[in-house]
């Protein structure tokens, strides 16, 4: 079967261009530029790269940003105090807490400290709860970006079998909520697989739409999927590769060649979901700025 490669970079560029125009219009109406406060704890190179990419994207769309680089020796009490300062600062619209955190800092406890109106990642229990009951909210950026890809490529979800593999709070679980909700981008019969799922293939083979977010290279292979499936590979894995200049290459969770052979549409890694995550963060930050001034208008 010949497949269509889902070009996340192209779609993200279109969305970012639109956000740039919206930000200009927002400023032209007499408002200050939206502002994002990023929090980077420790020296994890991948986290550093992600924060740099996000702050670069901010600059391109006209959002101001600042990054607090904090040593990983910070206590949970000190980190909560830092977040409280950002909560009270009216010049900050969105707070980005780059995950993962060092082991002694429990992400859910820190996230709970954040003002949910500044939670542009959509991780706060208030925002997750609103998502679950179908209320307007900040939606987690990666699954929200995937829905934008569906919109762009006219991939409908209504009545389809959607299978999500991986049940994290930031990708898999909110993705399953979005797909199963009674709204325009949902209405799919949704299965959420996790590491205790018995016989993963038995579920995956039923999928019209397959979303994989585990962090395990080659977890999904061609024989596990059905002909014509739409595949969204969220995984980002560094795999050793002596022929690559850096000694490694980035792959997803799917064995691309064998899965693509049976797919109708599939995302590449890199260049699929990643750019959409960043674009959605920009969108949420602009929304946070608007909501802070017009809370009723931008629900
Ligand atoms: P995570 O927090 O580690 O979650 C992975 C999930 O997969 C967990 O629920 C885990 O269960 C589950 N799992 C582990 N082994 C499994 C198996 N064999 N079968 C089914 N489920 C299994 O990771 P994440 O933050 O969701 O990210 C997942 C991947 O996506 C990573 O590679 C990450 O780098 C990537 N990612 C990409 C983007 C992007 O923009 N492209 C954004 C976010 C994440 P347990 O918790 O019980 O182990």
């Amino acid at each position: 079967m010949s497949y269509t490669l889902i070009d996340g970079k192209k779609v993200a560029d279109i969305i970012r261009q639109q956000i740039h125009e919206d930000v200009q219009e927002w400023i032209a109406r007499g408002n200050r530029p939206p502002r994002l406060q990023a929090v980077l704890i420790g020296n994890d190179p991948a986290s550093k790269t992600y924060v740099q990419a996000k702050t670069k994207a901010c600059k391109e769309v006209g959002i101001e940003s600042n990054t607090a680089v904090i040593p990983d020796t910070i206590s949970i009490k000190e980190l909560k105090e830092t977040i409280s300062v950002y909560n009270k600062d009216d010049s900050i619209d969105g707070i980005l807490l780059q995950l993962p955190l060092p082991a002694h800092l429990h992400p859910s406890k820190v996230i709970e400290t954040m003002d949910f109106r500044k939670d542009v990642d959509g991780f706060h229990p208030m925002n997750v709860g609103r998502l679950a009951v179908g209320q307007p909210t900040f939606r987690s950026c990666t699954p929200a970006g995937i829905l934008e890809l569906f919109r762009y490529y006219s991939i409908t979800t209504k009545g389809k079998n959607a299978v999500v593999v991986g049940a994290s709070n930031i990708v898999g679980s909110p993705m399953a909520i979005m797909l199963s909700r009674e709204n325009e981008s949902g209405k799919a019969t949704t299965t959420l697989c996790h590491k205790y799922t018995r016989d993963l293939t038995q579920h995956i083979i039923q999928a019209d739409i397959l979303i994989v977010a585990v962090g395990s290279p080659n977890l999904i292979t061609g024989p596990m999927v059905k002909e014509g499936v739409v595949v969204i590979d969220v995984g980002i894995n560094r795999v050793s590769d002596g022929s690559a200049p850096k000694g490694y290459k980035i792959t997803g969770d799917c064995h691309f060649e064998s899965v693509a052979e049976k797919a109708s549409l599939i995302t590449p890694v890199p260049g699929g979901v990643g750019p959409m995550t960043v674009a959605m963060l920009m969108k949420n930050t602009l929304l946070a700025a608007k909501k802070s001034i017009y809370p009723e208008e931008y629900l």
Side-chain angles (χ1 to χ4, degrees), residues 142 165-168 170-171 194-195 213-215 219 234-237 273-274 277:
T142 302
V165 186
S168 72
I170 68 171
V171 187
H194 43 73
K195 81 174 170 195
V214 173
L219 178 70
V234 183
I236 300 176
N237 305 292
V273 176
T277 301

Side-chain angles (χ1 to χ4, degrees), residues 228-249:
V229 63
V230 173
V231 180
I232 307 292
D233 191 348
V234 183
I236 300 176
N237 305 292
R238 277 187 187 194
V239 178
S240 303
D241 180 355
S243 66
K246 290 182 178 167
Y248 65 85
K249 63 177 179 179

Side-chain angles (χ1 to χ4, degrees), residues 95-239:
I95 304 170
L96 159 74
L97 177 67
Q98 185 62 42
L99 300 179
L101 299 182
H104 68 285
L105 302 169
H106 305 282
S108 55
K109 288 185 185 158
V110 182
I111 290 164
E112 266 179 1
T113 315
M114 207 181 280
D115 183 337
F116 70 92
R117 288 162 295 206
K118 297 189 179 190
D119 166 39
V120 286
D121 266 326
F123 297 161
H124 191 285
M126 176 68 99
N127 290 321
V128 179
R130 285 185 163 181
L131 179 73
V133 294
Q135 288 180 6
T137 186
F138 292 111
R139 296 179 309 161
S140 179
C141 298
T142 302
I146 291 169
L147 295 190
E148 290 293 333
L149 288 176
F150 288 174
R151 198 194 314 268
Y152 185 84
Y153 284 91
S154 304
I155 298 163
T156 57
T157 52
K158 187 177 173 184
K160 302 265 178 75
N161 285 340
V163 176
V164 181
V165 186
S168 72
N169 287 343
I170 68 171
V171 187
S173 296
M175 185 80 257
I177 295 173
M178 290 179 201
L179 286 166
S180 57
R181 285 293 315 170
E182 263 293 307
N183 60 28
E184 48 152 334
S185 53
K187 300 190 180 94
T189 304
T190 306
T191 305
L192 180 57
C193 297
H194 43 73
K195 81 174 170 195
Y196 301 106
T197 299
R198 278 177 284 164
D199 194 355
L200 200 55
T201 306
Q202 175 204 321
H203 298 281
I204 290 174
I205 201 85
Q206 305 292 331
D208 303 308
I209 296 170
L210 174 64
I211 293 159
V212 193
V214 173
S216 175
N218 297 330
L219 178 70
I220 311 296
T221 57
M224 299 169 79
V225 303
K226 78 171 177 186
E227 286 287 337
V229 63
V230 173
V231 180
I232 307 292
D233 191 348
V234 183
I236 300 176
N237 305 292
R238 277 187 187 194
V239 178

